[in-house]
Amino acid sequence: MSFNRSTILRLTTLLVIAFCATTHAFDGKRKGFVAGFGLGFTPIASLSADRLGIETTKSGFGANMLAGYAWDDRNMIVYEGSGCLSKVSELGSSYVLQGLNGVGWYHYWGNSNRRVFTSVGIGLMVFSTEHWNVDGHGFGYSAGVGYEFLKQLQVGLYYAGGHTSNDYGVSANHTVLNLLVTLVAY
């Protein structure tokens, strides 16, 4: 599974349709449908592929998108896609996308609008390159911690790790650390 432009366009279109269809659901209370989008910086995007002789750590551009359901003011379960785009000179200065698509659980601690949150998730780790046939997918996991500093606006530090492989026998280990500011509509 690779992320090409048409896949990203389809996911974005679905998210826009979901926003338009459920705008009446957003009453400012974290209960019911939730959706979010975040941007930020990735200080650590580590890639290790023995068969290719690559072991590198770069920084890059981070992003996430989420959509799901909050069953109360403290807990929500979401489908979340998060990752990093970085340039890897060991692959001929190719742009590389490393990330996790999966199910995540967010828990908000405390009773105010300004509070700490934690998140955990599991899903499909994806690895996609611009010019090489090393794209792959496999099991991945994530954990995060952050702070909701304004109602519906939060900053978080998210760790994702996992392993990918493909039909060409190329396997890789991934570590991504994202610092993201996310707008979560509810």
Side-chain angles (χ1 to χ4, degrees), residues 63 107 138 141:
H107 181 76
Y141 53 92

Side-chain angles (χ1 to χ4, degrees), residues 1-3 99 101 123-128 134-140 162-167 170-172 174:
M1 176 179 180
S2 70
F3 275 86
N101 288 317
L124 186 68
M125 180 63 91
V126 294
F127 174 52
S128 181
V134 295
D135 298 7
H137 60 276
F139 178 75
H163 180 80
T164 61
S165 60
N166 65 19
D167 294 337
V170 177
S171 62
H174 307 273

Side-chain angles (χ1 to χ4, degrees), residues 26-29 148 150-154 182-186:
F26 298 113
D27 59 1
K29 298 176 184 168
E148 182 182 40
L150 293 173
K151 187 172 185 173
Q152 300 179 336
L153 196 59
Q154 60 192 37
T182 304
L183 174 65
V184 181
Y186 48 82

Side-chain angles (χ1 to χ4, degrees), residues 38-118:
L39 297 173
F41 176 66
T42 304
I44 298 173
S46 177
L47 166 65
S48 174
D50 291 339
R51 185 165 181 203
L52 299 176
I54 295 174
E55 186 154 339
T56 183
T57 300
K58 303 290 181 186
S59 61
F61 173 75
N64 74 335
M65 292 173 55
L66 59 92
Y69 182 78
W71 63 88
D72 61 25
D73 190 47
R74 293 185 179 199
N75 296 285
M76 61 185 193
I77 190 151
V78 297
Y79 169 80
E80 184 170 20
S82 65
C84 163
L85 184 66
S86 58
K87 200 171 204 178
V88 177
S89 58
E90 292 83 355
L91 291 174
S93 292
S94 179
Y95 283 100
V96 171
L97 175 69
Q98 299 178 79
L100 182 69
N101 288 317
V103 176
W105 170 50
Y106 281 74
H107 181 76
Y108 293 82
W109 303 86
N111 293 321
S112 69
N113 287 332
R114 295 182 177 160
R115 53 189 166 171
V116 172
F117 70 87
T118 54

